[in-house]
Amino acid sequence: TRAWRGLIEEYRDRLPVTTATPVVTLLEGGTPLVPAHRVSALTGCEVYLKVEGLNPTGSFKDRGMTMAISKAVEEGAKAVICASTGNTSASAAAYAVRAGLTCAVLVPRGKIAMGKLAQALVHGAKLLQVEGSFDDCLEMTRELSENYPIALVNSVNPFRLQGQKTAAFEIVDALGDAPDIHCIPVGNAGNISAYWMGYTEYAGDGVATRTPRMFGFQASGAAPIVNGAPVTHPHTIATAIRIGNPASWQLAEAARDESGGVIQSVTDRQIAAAYKLLAQEEGVFVELASAASVAGLLQAHEQGLVDPGQRIVCTVTGNGLKDPDWAISGAPTPLTISIDAHAAATALDLV
Ligand code: F0G
C-alpha cells in the first residue's frame, strides 16, 4: 500500500495529459465508498454512498478542476473564470491558488450556501454576485471567455468531465465490477455525463463486465430535463442544483437512454427527508443537493423500478458543512446551562 497521489497520477493513462502537462493537484479523489446500512434495509438492496464531500474543497468538483486547471496552465492561461452555484467556484478558487492563476467567479446573488462563498473569498477569488440565475451567470462567463484572455473552467470545458469520470473508475476498482444502478443528482448535468463516460470506458476495455443503469435526479422546481423544456425561474432549497438550462443536457439524456436509466424529479420535501436520514441514520453529513440521489433512490424503489438485492451506488456530491445555515435552521436550539454537572445531568435526562 502507498499514499494516494491525486487522480491525474492514479489514472494518468486514461486522461488527456502528457509529460508536458503541469499537474496541479490537492490530492483529490480516492474518496470512500461507504456501505449505507439504513438505505440498504429500506430498499432491500446493497447500497453504497460515494462520499465526494471528502474531496479537498468538499465536493466532487475537485476531480474536474485538477484537470481543467492543469490544462489551463499547460495552455499558458494566466486567469480562469467560472459561473457557479458555489462548489465550482470554491474548487476553482483553491486550484487557481495552487497554480498561481487569477480566478474570477460569477454567482447568483443570495443563492449560494455560506460555506461556499467563504471558500471562494478566503482563496482570494474575484467574486461577483450577479442579480440573476446560475444560467445567466454561465451565459456571461461564456461571453467573457470568448472576448477576453480568461479560460473557462465550467463543465463545458471538456477536461472537467475527463477528471470527473474517474469517480466511476474508483467505484469499479473498489467493487470489482460496475454496480447495477448508479444514482446521482443532476444540475448542470456534467457529472452524470462524466460517470457514464467512465463506466462505458471501463466496460469497453474489459475492466468491468457491464455498465450500470444511470438514475439521475433533479429538484422538482428545477427539472428542465424531466419537463423537456428549460425552466426560466428555477427554485429549490437545494441551491447547488438550482439550474434551469443545463449545459450538458444532451449528454445526460444519452447517459440515461444508453444505460436504460431514468431522469426523474424529487421534491424539496423528499430531498430534506433524505438529508436528515443520511445525517441521523447513516452518520453522513451531506449538502441538500447531494441528498437528491438518495431521495431519488427511495422514490424509484417505491415505484418498483429497483429489484431487490441489486448493488447500488449513490453519489453524495458535497459536504454538509458547506451549508451550516440550513443545518442549524432545522435543528432544535441548544439549551444553555450554568457550570453545574447536575444541571447537565437533568438536561440530558440522566437523572
Ligand atoms: N451536487 C452538488 C453539491 C453540486 O454542487 C452540483 C453542481 C451538482 C450536484 C450537480 O452536478 O451540475 O454536474 O449536474 N454544482 C455546480 C456548481 C453547478 O456551480 O458548483 P452537475
Side-chain angles (χ1 to χ4, degrees), residues 59-61 83-89 116 134 154-155 164 185-192 240-241 243 287 289-290 317-318:
S59 86
F60 73 95
K61 302 292 180 178
S84 185
T85 56
N87 281 324
T88 299
S89 53
K116 304 175 188 181
F134 167 83
N154 278 106
S155 57
Q164 287 172 213
V186 175
N188 212 23
N191 212 27
I192 188 173
I241 53 172
I243 294 175
E287 61 174 289
S290 309
T317 45

Side-chain angles (χ1 to χ4, degrees), residues 145-191:
S145 66
E146 274 165 28
N147 296 320
Y148 300 92
I150 192 160
L152 187 61
V153 294
N154 278 106
S155 57
V156 293
N157 174 330
F159 297 120
R160 281 276 311 276
L161 300 197
Q162 287 291 322
Q164 287 172 213
K165 75 181 180 184
T166 59
F169 297 163
E170 290 175 18
I171 290 165
V172 174
D173 291 345
L175 296 177
D177 205 342
D180 296 298
I181 296 173
H182 190 107
C183 299
I184 189 164
V186 175
N188 212 23
N191 212 27

Side-chain angles (χ1 to χ4, degrees), residues 35-323:
H37 301 304
R38 181 73 184 137
V39 183
S40 296
L42 286 171
T43 55
C45 291
E46 182 187 328
V47 182
Y48 297 86
L49 305 172
K50 181 65 171 162
V51 184
E52 289 290 277
L54 293 177
N55 275 298
T57 76
S59 86
F60 73 95
K61 302 292 180 178
D62 296 338
R63 294 183 183 276
M65 212 51 75
T66 185
M67 277 299 301
I69 299 288
S70 296
K71 296 303 281 191
V73 174
E74 181 176 355
E75 287 160 11
K78 297 281 175 271
V80 294
I81 189 168
C82 64
S84 185
T85 56
N87 281 324
T88 299
S89 53
S91 185
Y95 283 80
V97 165
R98 202 75 188 170
L101 301 177
T102 308
C103 178
V105 167
L106 302 190
V107 299
R109 185 173 67 91
K111 301 294 182 190
I112 88 167
M114 192 177 64
K116 304 175 188 181
L117 192 63
Q119 289 179 287
L121 295 176
V122 82
H123 290 304
K126 296 181 186 173
L127 183 135
L128 298 176
Q129 310 194 80
V130 178
E131 290 180 319
S133 66
F134 167 83
D135 306 281
D136 298 322
C137 294
L138 184 57
E139 194 56 45
M140 289 171 66
T141 54
R142 286 188 199 251
E143 194 178 322
L144 289 164
S145 66
E146 274 165 28
N147 296 320
Y148 300 92
I150 192 160
L152 187 61
V153 294
N154 278 106
S155 57
V156 293
N157 174 330
F159 297 120
R160 281 276 311 276
L161 300 197
Q162 287 291 322
Q164 287 172 213
K165 75 181 180 184
T166 59
F169 297 163
E170 290 175 18
I171 290 165
V172 174
D173 291 345
L175 296 177
D177 205 342
D180 296 298
I181 296 173
H182 190 107
C183 299
I184 189 164
V186 175
N188 212 23
N191 212 27
I192 188 173
S193 309
Y195 271 83
W196 183 238
M197 277 175 46
Y199 281 126
T200 51
E201 182 175 330
Y202 253 21
D205 292 346
V207 184
T209 68
R210 56 189 184 151
T211 53
R213 292 160 73 202
M214 299 300 299
F215 283 18
F217 299 100
Q218 301 192 296
S220 57
I225 300 177
V226 179
N227 302 348
V231 176
T232 318
H233 298 292
H235 59 90
T236 168
I237 55 172
T239 51
I241 53 172
R242 185 176 167 272
I243 294 175
N245 192 13
S248 298
W249 189 318
Q250 273 79 29
L251 286 175
E253 287 189 337
R256 175 195 65 193
D257 298 340
E258 291 167 17
S259 75
V262 296
I263 296 180
Q264 297 188 335
S265 63
V266 287
T267 64
D268 281 0
R269 191 181 292 268
Q270 288 173 289
I271 291 171
Y275 169 94
K276 194 170 171 186
L277 183 151
L278 286 170
Q280 303 198 341
E281 300 190 55
E282 299 288 3
V284 179
F285 187 20
V286 306
E287 61 174 289
L288 282 165
S290 309
S293 58
V294 171
L297 169 59
L298 296 175
Q299 172 172 280
H301 171 255
E302 292 279 300
Q303 294 173 343
L305 294 177
V306 180
D307 291 334
Q310 297 222 297
R311 189 177 257 191
I312 301 174
V313 175
C314 294
T315 298
V316 285
T317 45
N319 196 302
L321 291 170
K322 295 268 189 179
D323 191 356

